[in-house]
Amino acid sequence: MKTNGARFLESLGIPFELREYEVDENDLSAIAVAKKIDMPAEQVFKTLLTSDAAHNYAFAVIPGDAALDFKKLARLAEWRKAEMAPLKDVQPLTGYIRGGVTIFGAKKPYRVFVDETAILFDKISVSAGTRGTQLILTPNDYLRAASALGEPVQTADLTKEAKPPSEGHSA
């Protein structure tokens, strides 16, 4: 199925693969998507719409097996505090529903912050703009397409450090 994201990449002459999967409304996690499209979760990037108290918005694109570090994002975006945009605002602001958000073809371009681990891989996967369809492309092509949106794109460390299991607790 052709999506706005796919059409945008085609308009730039950027090669990509569309990979479809069966959607489970009860589990829209990137980890579940990764299993369904047979890719490691760290290569399946989730696109999060974030905001600050003044209603400025930015996309944070992070590995599917990681959590966004809001303090790191706030520093990068030069916001006092960063948080997830309210779910009720995501579709009106982007045109996409949870589980199908992509930076490509959104109603309005926002700044894009991509976790630096993206460049470690030959290919990454991002939502194509609808649940059940992923775009597979090279990180460089993703960043080139993101830059074509006309808003700043920055690659940086965006994720929380993995915490070691607590000591002293028995399983």
Side-chain angles (χ1 to χ4, degrees):
M1 171 170 74
K2 274 286 169 62
T3 65
N4 288 342
R7 284 189 271 283
F8 180 75
L9 293 176
E10 282 177 347
S11 76
L12 298 173
I14 290 178
F16 63 91
E17 173 194 342
L18 277 176
R19 200 170 289 178
E20 295 186 7
Y21 63 93
E22 196 166 314
V23 176
D24 176 356
E25 298 286 333
N26 297 315
D27 188 359
L28 298 172
S29 73
I31 291 171
V33 172
K35 287 179 185 157
K36 291 176 182 181
I37 65 168
D38 197 28
M39 283 182 77
E42 62 269 18
Q43 281 179 256
V44 177
F45 281 70
K46 52 190 174 186
T47 303
L48 308 173
L49 184 65
T50 63
S51 65
D52 70 354
H55 301 291
N56 294 303
Y57 296 93
F59 286 118
V61 183
I62 64 169
D65 62 348
L68 178 60
D69 186 319
F70 290 102
K71 287 183 177 160
K72 289 177 183 176
L73 177 63
R75 272 195 303 276
L76 289 165
E78 298 179 355
W79 294 344
R80 283 193 350 184
K81 181 181 174 194
E83 59 191 14
M84 291 295 295
L87 189 54
K88 67 178 179 44
D89 295 345
V90 172
Q91 189 170 11
L93 291 168
T94 67
Y96 297 120
I97 59 172
R98 182 174 160 258
V101 175
T102 184
I103 65 170
F104 306 126
K107 284 185 174 180
K108 178 177 184 260
Y110 299 104
R111 290 190 296 170
V112 179
F113 295 94
V114 181
D115 189 73
E116 64 192 3
T117 60
I119 60 173
L120 301 176
F121 303 105
D122 292 341
K123 301 269 186 192
I124 60 170
S125 171
V126 296
S127 176
T130 185
R131 290 177 181 169
T133 310
Q134 291 288 110
L135 293 166
I136 316 288
L137 70 169
T138 70
N140 284 341
D141 283 341
Y142 180 81
L143 293 170
R144 189 162 55 94
S147 295
L149 295 168
E151 287 291 323
V153 177
Q154 190 173 347
T155 311
D157 176 13
L158 294 175
T159 59
K160 290 183 179 178
E161 300 298 319
K163 291 189 174 122
S166 300
E167 292 184 35
H169 293 110
S170 57

